[in-house]
Amino acid sequence: MRILLSLCLFLFNASIFASVTVSDPFKAEHQVKLSYTLSKYASLNELLAAPVEWHNSIQVPTGLRPVGQYLWLKIALNNTNSSLTPILVSINNNLIDSVTAYHVRPNHPIFTLDIGDTLPLIKRPLKYESLVIPLELQPLTQSHLYLQISDDGAITAPLAVWEPNEYLQFKSKFNLIFGILAGFVLALALTNATLYYVTKKNYFLCATLLIAIIWLFNAHIYGFGYRYFYSSWQWFQQYGQGIMTLLLSALLLPTLSYCSGKTLLSHPQLTGKRVTLITLGLFIIIALLPVFESLLLALSISFIIAILLMYTLARIHHNSRNTLIAIALCHFIVISYPFTVEVGVQSGSFLNHLGYFGIFVIEATLLSYLLIRLYISQRDEKLAKQQQRLAHTQAEDALLKEKLKLQEQAQYDLESNIEERTFELQVTLRELEDKNRELERMNMEDPLTKVKNRRYFDKRLQMEVRRSRREQTVLSLVIFDIDHFKKINDKYGHLAGDQAICEFANLIKSHLRRPHDEIFRYGGEEFILLLPNTPEEGALEVAERLRVATAALKIQFGEHIIEMTTSAGIYSAVVSDPHNPQLYTDNADKALYQAKQQGRNRIVTFNPNQEN
């Protein structure tokens, strides 16, 4: 009987509407030709037995809202292949409540299956995050697919017919891009969580919760949450969109308030306790209302908040106002799109691609960027205040020291009549001062080469770095290293090595022409030449002269003639960060390392592109 009914339905409908043709090179059909009608009948037999007016269309018209009725779709599937052909019919809206599919084939029973987000994932024919109907088309026949769709709100059901392998390839690419975006958003959430753990700043906590909800919200609307996390929790599958939509707006408001430094959308009567109670009340109401009213209420409130946020941010004066407006605009887009879908202004085809998720990614990225800038700004202000307090303390210490000096002077005046003691004290102090100067000279001078040592170099480098920063002049630093110095020690002994080092130091000193140019022994056979107000070309010229002179140097040690070469690394720049003088020695040392790697006996200037 069922086979006979199927044949009758086939003959009755064959001439009514255009068909989707499945031929040998068939891959996918996105512009599905169909017929639709709104009917009170819930079963296919009742529908076909009653007089029904069918409307032809491509895809489901925008804004269909069956109140107390069912939306029926009718699609003709024409298989021109001479073999059994499997296809997949996808409904690109994961949030439809219920879909019942009837496949009417000639001489075959009617194939029936149920899908929809009110149905547990385990009961779906294919365990995909999307709503997919698997069908088999008989060879050289035309069959019909009836879809009975039920939903509380405006129905949007973009349809596509796929060859199975083509659909799998599409979903693979789709899921890969979704995974990359989701991974990036999750990384932003973890970054903000880490910053909150380290800094204990509440705005990082708000950002962590907001970005985590963005991640879960997109997993929800694209079907991945239902597939992997709560496949048996149909209540959250239906109410989750409304709850998370309102939660996104509730978390964005305080986060943007932190970024702007102003309490946005505030009112004198809206205390923190009242706002909390109102928010909890809204969540309770959303959880108790029917699904469509719940979602529409959440979207309406969020839509109003987004508009007010953009208006408020456009009126404030803030150095990051454009970024704040961009965040609010992204939020407005992601709220207004589903809102206009629910009120029937446009269709919900945004779930066909990942552009909707991409706007969320932009919003989360800009928000994280602003919060990090806010933290850096607050930290800099705190450091400035600490430095100010330190300067104040140093001034008080200086006054105290001056006061102590005055007291010592007064005591000295009282004892000025004791001339012998005064004379002895002066002599002792003079001797002590001479000893201190001698000790300071010995402390700054390398005992072997009689040039300044590394400790004095560190002080001098700090002074020249500040001068370069203050006067915006180029500071050049050259690190020399005697090539294969170990071989000299091994072949002639350490005394010969010491003599070679001294001769090398004297050679460098002999080539210095300006009073401010100075040579330092940096350690072992390494020497540093500090050239203030010298561009890279000048430093390279001095270094090259020294390299040539070193290669020509003949050191007489007993009966032996010692010859050697040198390699050098140069770094020249105008100082931008006076608190990091180590940058000069590090970069010059990297250039020296390049010179060694390239064969020694050469000069290499530091290039940032070669750093890695």
Side-chain angles (χ1 to χ4, degrees):
M1 184 64 185
R2 295 182 65 184
I3 296 175
L4 181 60
L5 176 61
S6 300
L7 180 60
C8 292
L9 293 175
F10 170 77
L11 295 175
F12 177 77
N13 293 295
S15 61
I16 294 181
F17 53 90
S19 64
V20 175
T21 301
V22 179
S23 57
D24 187 38
F26 176 80
K27 291 186 177 180
E29 177 64 50
H30 299 283
Q31 298 295 325
V32 178
K33 300 176 181 178
L34 53 84
S35 296
Y36 70 95
T37 185
L38 293 174
S39 174
K40 63 181 179 179
Y41 300 109
S43 69
L44 180 62
N45 291 334
E46 292 176 344
L47 177 73
L48 297 176
V52 175
E53 181 181 2
W54 292 92
H55 306 280
N56 295 329
S57 177
I58 296 178
Q59 302 294 352
V60 180
T62 301
L64 282 182
R65 191 185 308 277
V67 180
Q69 294 179 311
Y70 297 94
L71 173 63
W72 285 88
L73 306 181
K74 182 170 55 175
I75 306 169
L77 303 170
N78 185 20
N79 182 18
T80 62
N81 295 325
S82 59
S83 60
L84 188 68
T85 303
I87 64 169
L88 297 176
V89 178
S90 65
I91 304 175
N92 299 312
N93 184 356
N94 311 313
L95 306 177
I96 294 179
D97 291 345
S98 176
V99 178
T100 301
Y102 302 90
H103 188 201
V104 180
R105 300 165 293 177
N107 303 319
H108 284 77
I110 297 177
F111 172 76
T112 305
L113 61 83
D114 295 317
I115 54 177
D117 68 354
T118 58
L119 192 69
L121 186 68
I122 194 173
K123 294 184 179 181
R124 292 186 182 180
L126 294 177
K127 307 304 183 290
Y128 285 142
E129 58 273 4
S130 304
L131 301 180
V132 180
I133 304 169
L135 300 177
E136 288 186 345
L137 302 183
Q138 297 300 316
L140 302 174
T141 60
Q142 185 179 57
S143 59
H144 299 88
L145 177 65
Y146 290 82
L147 300 178
Q148 183 253 307
I149 301 177
S150 175
D151 195 274
D152 290 339
I155 294 180
T156 56
L159 299 177
V161 180
W162 302 83
E163 191 271 332
N165 289 332
E166 185 72 14
Y167 182 76
L168 290 177
Q169 292 178 9
F170 167 78
K171 289 302 293 182
S172 297
K173 295 178 182 178
F174 186 96
N175 293 351
L176 175 61
I177 299 174
F178 183 91
I180 293 173
L181 295 178
F184 179 75
V185 172
L186 186 59
L188 288 179
L190 293 176
T191 300
N192 282 277
T194 304
L195 290 172
Y196 171 71
Y197 178 79
V198 173
T199 64
K200 304 303 180 185
K201 297 292 185 180
N202 289 333
Y203 46 78
F204 284 126
L205 177 60
C206 288
T208 300
L209 296 175
L210 175 63
I211 297 174
I213 295 300
I214 287 176
W215 182 85
L216 183 59
F217 178 81
N218 283 276
H220 176 85
I221 64 172
Y222 284 101
F224 292 94
Y226 192 57
R227 179 177 179 182
Y228 295 108
F229 305 127
Y230 42 84
S231 58
S232 60
W233 193 13
Q234 285 76 40
W235 181 88
F236 189 77
Q237 172 66 10
Q238 292 186 291
Y239 284 87
Q241 183 181 2
I243 292 174
M244 288 188 286
T245 297
L246 187 59
L247 195 57
L248 286 173
S249 298
L251 289 171
L252 182 65
L253 192 57
T255 308
L256 290 183
S257 297
Y258 281 119
C259 293
S260 63
K262 302 178 184 295
T263 304
L264 302 177
L265 307 186
S266 62
H267 192 275
Q269 295 183 355
L270 289 177
T271 62
K273 185 176 181 180
R274 289 182 179 178
V275 170
T276 302
L277 292 175
I278 292 172
T279 304
L280 290 176
L282 286 174
F283 279 112
I284 293 173
I285 292 172
I286 287 175
L288 295 177
L289 285 174
V291 177
F292 171 70
E293 286 79 5
S294 169
L295 179 58
L296 188 59
L297 176 61
L299 288 172
S300 301
I301 295 173
S302 299
F303 184 79
I304 294 172
I305 291 175
I307 293 177
L308 293 177
L309 270 177
M310 288 196 299
Y311 174 78
T312 304
L313 292 173
R315 293 171 60 87
I316 67 172
H317 297 284
H318 194 272
N319 56 357
S320 300
R321 184 179 69 171
N322 292 337
T323 307
L324 290 168
I325 294 175
I327 295 173
L329 180 61
C330 288
H331 190 72
F332 172 79
I333 294 173
V334 298
I335 293 301
S336 61
Y337 209 121
F339 177 75
T340 54
V341 169
E342 288 302 319
V343 297
V345 176
Q346 60 181 341
S347 67
S349 59
F350 66 95
L351 294 178
N352 294 352
H353 49 77
L354 291 169
Y356 188 72
F357 195 3
I359 298 175
F360 272 110
V361 173
I362 295 173
E363 178 183 352
T365 304
L366 292 176
L367 190 62
S368 299
Y369 163 76
L370 273 189
L371 292 178
I372 292 174
R373 278 191 55 185
L374 174 63
Y375 172 72
I376 293 174
S377 175
Q378 291 178 347
R379 185 198 61 183
D380 291 343
E381 290 178 2
K382 183 178 179 180
L383 289 176
K385 290 180 180 179
Q386 290 177 347
Q387 292 176 353
Q388 186 177 4
R389 287 196 297 267
L390 180 60
H392 182 69
T393 303
Q394 290 175 345
E396 291 180 347
D397 291 341
L399 290 175
L400 181 59
K401 290 179 181 180
E402 187 66 23
K403 186 176 181 180
L404 291 175
K405 288 182 179 179
L406 291 175
Q407 291 176 352
E408 290 174 358
Q409 184 64 37
Q411 184 177 359
Y412 173 77
D413 293 340
L414 291 175
E415 297 177 353
S416 60
N417 57 337
I418 310 176
E419 295 181 355
E420 293 182 356
R421 291 186 179 181
T422 303
F423 178 77
E424 293 175 356
L425 179 61
Q426 290 176 346
V427 171
T428 303
L429 290 175
R430 189 177 296 110
E431 292 177 349
L432 180 60
E433 185 176 349
D434 292 337
K435 293 293 183 181
N436 286 336
R437 279 198 294 266
E438 179 64 18
L439 181 61
E440 184 177 0
R441 184 188 65 79
M442 294 175 62
N443 194 34
M444 293 187 303
E445 189 176 84
D446 178 55
L448 176 64
T449 60
K450 305 306 179 183
V451 299
K452 294 297 188 295
N453 59 15
R454 180 170 180 172
R455 179 177 297 179
Y456 183 70
F457 165 75
D458 292 337
K459 295 181 181 179
R460 179 68 185 281
L461 178 61
Q462 184 67 45
M463 295 169 55
E464 295 301 333
V465 162
R466 292 175 180 172
R467 178 184 298 176
S468 173
R469 168 70 174 179
R470 181 175 62 254
E471 299 177 359
Q472 289 295 294
T473 56
V474 178
L475 175 62
S476 294
L477 188 146
V478 186
I479 296 183
F480 290 96
D481 183 82
I482 299 174
D483 296 330
H484 303 296
F485 181 75
K486 186 177 184 301
K487 292 182 179 180
I488 297 177
N489 280 337
D490 293 341
K491 184 175 181 180
Y492 302 105
H494 290 282
L495 291 178
D498 291 344
Q499 182 176 343
I501 289 176
C502 293
E503 292 291 339
F504 186 63
N506 293 331
L507 178 66
I508 297 176
K509 286 194 294 184
S510 68
H511 280 74
L512 299 183
R513 299 290 184 268
R514 300 186 304 179
H516 292 295
D517 298 344
E518 197 162 3
I519 181 67
F520 307 86
R521 187 180 182 188
Y522 195 64
E525 67 274 17
E526 285 190 347
F527 291 82
I528 289 184
L529 183 58
L530 194 62
L531 302 174
N533 196 17
T534 302
E536 184 178 290
E537 295 80 6
L540 184 61
E541 180 181 352
V542 173
E544 181 62 22
R545 288 204 308 267
L546 285 169
R547 185 193 68 80
V548 174
T550 302
L553 181 64
K554 311 291 184 181
I555 302 173
Q556 183 71 39
F557 180 73
E559 299 177 356
H560 303 284
I561 300 297
I562 301 175
E563 296 180 353
M564 61 185 179
T565 61
T566 183
S567 300
I570 300 175
Y571 178 63
S572 303
V574 178
V575 176
S576 60
D577 182 10
H579 302 292
N580 188 19
Q582 190 68 25
L583 178 67
Y584 272 80
T585 55
D586 289 345
N587 290 341
D589 191 66
K590 291 174 183 177
L592 175 60
Y593 178 79
Q594 290 290 328
K596 294 290 187 180
Q597 290 293 316
Q598 295 174 12
R600 295 181 169 83
N601 191 21
R602 64 192 65 230
I603 312 298
V604 173
T605 59
F606 176 76
N607 186 351
N609 295 327
Q610 300 175 352
E611 186 174 354
N612 293 326

